[in-house]
Amino acid sequence: MSALASAQRPFFFLIDFEMEKPIICPVEEAQELGFQFEIKGFRNFQLQDRKPAPVPLLIEPIPKAIYAKAYRKVIKEIYRGNTFLLNLTFPSTIKTHLNLQDIFQLAKAPYKLLYENRFVIYSPECFVKIKDSQIYSYPMKGTIDALVPEAKKKLQTDPKEINEHNTIVDLIRNDLSKIAREIAVTRFRYLDKIQTQKNEIYHTSSEIKGKLSSDWKTQLPEILLGLLPAGSICGAP
């Protein structure tokens, strides 16, 4: 990674959560390895002319009793002081006549990835960006249905949403301080509207930046690994 970055040669990398099967290659070789991706309009594949299905995905959530049990455990750990913010997630069964390639092509998101017929990912959130020796992160926390009356005002003033966002901004700011200096929150709790498979939602995000050393390209692996796992994904343990 350092060699490719120092040579200013674009590359693709994938790091799994357990960091057991990392993949890195020059960007032009990613498709040969089975990866298709799009990053804010930059893509390594051809768009297909597809008409969206009326209901492309039917999601079956887990039973409420199972979720409630896990929720009680989370609350217990919060009161014990073992976590401040935790993303409680479960796998959901999805019924669809679409394959992963179809879903990848139809997904409208600034960041998306397809790995052969194994998995597809799409997200509105940028984890980190480096430009002119400045590193930026954009934690996204705080959500509301855009159809709710006075949705923007409710999202901006809800104490629960404010506390959740403050927690993740503080976490990312601390994470950046491990690999950069002069950390600053340059934009705080700005609103974005996002289209989901169901409807439109409002999200609050913040921009945090820090200054890297001039030779940051030689230290890129240490920088990225120092920021993983991404707090905005797993929470604030």
Side-chain angles (χ1 to χ4, degrees), residues 1-155:
M1 184 181 290
S2 294
L4 290 166
S6 297
Q8 298 190 36
R9 186 176 179 186
F11 61 89
F12 169 88
F13 70 95
L14 178 72
I15 303 176
D16 57 298
F17 197 85
E18 292 80 11
M19 291 191 272
E20 294 177 348
K21 300 177 181 179
I23 295 171
I24 179 169
C25 66
V27 71
E28 64 271 14
E29 296 178 12
Q31 195 169 42
E32 298 174 13
L33 296 176
F35 294 100
Q36 296 180 43
F37 63 83
E38 181 169 352
I39 302 174
K40 301 195 77 172
F42 176 76
R43 61 179 73 95
N44 72 336
F45 64 94
Q46 294 294 321
L47 286 175
Q48 299 177 13
D49 185 16
R50 294 179 181 273
K51 293 183 179 180
V55 185
L57 300 176
L58 295 176
I59 302 172
E60 293 185 354
I62 63 165
K64 185 177 179 180
I66 295 177
Y67 186 88
K69 181 180 179 181
Y71 176 81
R72 289 193 296 269
K73 182 176 181 180
V74 170
I75 295 300
K76 187 176 181 180
E77 296 301 327
I78 288 175
Y79 280 115
R80 286 178 172 177
N82 292 329
T83 182
F84 295 100
L85 175 68
L86 191 145
N87 289 354
L88 179 59
T89 62
F90 289 88
S92 297
T93 300
I94 296 175
K95 293 184 177 180
T96 178
H97 64 277
L98 304 173
N99 58 36
L100 294 185
Q101 179 69 242
D102 294 330
I103 295 172
F104 176 72
Q105 288 279 343
L106 290 170
K108 293 179 173 61
Y111 308 96
K112 57 184 187 177
L113 169 71
L114 171 68
Y115 184 21
E116 294 178 328
N117 199 33
R118 303 188 189 187
F119 60 77
V120 63
I121 301 166
Y122 46 97
S123 172
E125 186 174 357
C126 173
F127 177 38
V128 289
K129 177 180 74 175
I130 299 176
K131 184 178 181 181
D132 299 328
S133 295
Q134 298 276 355
I135 186 167
Y136 301 81
S137 189
Y138 300 88
M140 181 181 287
K141 279 282 183 282
T143 310
I144 194 171
D145 188 331
L147 296 178
V148 171
E150 297 187 307
K152 291 183 180 180
K153 182 179 179 181
K154 289 181 178 179
L155 178 56

